[in-house]
Amino acid sequence: MAKPLGADLTDIAIPLSKLFLDPNNPRFVGSDWIFIPDHDAIKSGPQEEAAERLIASHDIDKLKSIMEHNGYLPIDRVVVRRIDDDHFIVLEGNRRICSAKQINGYLDTGEKIPDEIMKTFDQIPCLLYEGVESDKNAAWVFQGIRHISGISEWSAFNKAKLIVEQMEAQGLSFTEVGKSFGLSAFGAAQWVRGYYSFLQAKEETEFGKYIDERIYPFFQEVFGRSSIAVKEWMKWDDTKKLFLDAANLNEFVSWFYPKKNDDESDIDREPTKSDMEEAWSRRRISKRDDLRNISYMIHKSPKNWMEFRSGADVEKAYNRAILDELEEDRESDKNAVDKFFSVLTEAKKQLDNTPFSVIGNEDNKEKLREILDEIIKTKEKLSAFL
């Protein structure tokens, strides 16, 4: 029977300067990959190339920002393989080590990072792997265990709850809490406002006791840049952290738990959990983009917006709104053409009946000559297309 993998792992603290990125990182390897041996892997060229690959495609800037404000957090230890006493190749944790190596003591704003934050990068808590796996396979084993089976992903609601709790506990602004989690101020605000509005919906709407975390991402989307009209329709108040239009909020939630048309016989019966699950499966809003389309209709097409509110399918109502706008644009273009020819016809008529008072006055004649000269020049330019 094979011994447990953990038996080949030893706790060790290693200076950041002695940790080297893995140029053979499974994130990089394709079918035509040529393995880079250890003596070349630790050289500046392969190290810079590995860092550039990670920075380009694996959110290193976001992780760097989080570290700059929280320090290095040894929640998950980096797994390394020893080359010699001064060189350790990272098997698992390349993103973290790459991010740490990008930190130079100053924020992008030029502000100095506190010494107590910088000290967390002096010694990195690691697990030293001393097993029998070949150099080529060790990284695949550890990254496979972590990323294929995977770490259980938090729900969007739980992420928002954490952000809100940190904000409230430490009195942070959107900018400050955003930096702690690698978010922009707008992004942090979107998570937080979505959280408060979700709690309001649970407490104040007809469907509140049936609502669960699955609906949270839709509240978060309400505060996105493309859904402003929906937010305004429910009258969000940033000071009170709630929607002021209770009727519209209730209608919004009802889109996720639509009643059947034949439910009249059961109108007084309390819905069961099974009933609500069935209603959720028929929800009128199934994806976040639907809210962007609704926002478009509120702003651009009141007729189709009311059509949706009356029960029409959101995609069909939105598509009709788009077609109506295209038709309006075509009609506008047609009207513009008609107006163009009407103005030209009227101008010719005026020239045919030029008043004597214009011809008899030197200043007026000079002005008329200038206009006619400009008309001749325009005609010559248009002749190329006629």
Side-chain angles (χ1 to χ4, degrees), residues 19 23 25 94 113 123 168 180 203 210-211 333 337 372 380:
L19 293 173
N25 190 327
N94 279 276
I113 298 174
Q123 297 282 330
E168 293 180 343
S180 296
E203 293 169 3
Y210 308 110
I211 291 173
D333 288 343
V337 171
L372 291 175
E380 289 173 349

Side-chain angles (χ1 to χ4, degrees), residues 174-191:
F174 288 134
T175 298
E176 290 166 337
V177 77
K179 287 179 178 177
S180 296
F181 291 96
L183 299 168
S184 66
F186 182 89
Q190 191 174 355
W191 284 89

Side-chain angles (χ1 to χ4, degrees), residues 247-263:
N248 286 349
L249 173 61
N250 199 72
E251 180 181 340
F252 176 79
V253 177
S254 75
W255 298 339
F256 301 93
Y257 302 97
K259 295 178 180 178
K260 286 184 176 178
N261 294 330
D262 58 355
D263 274 354

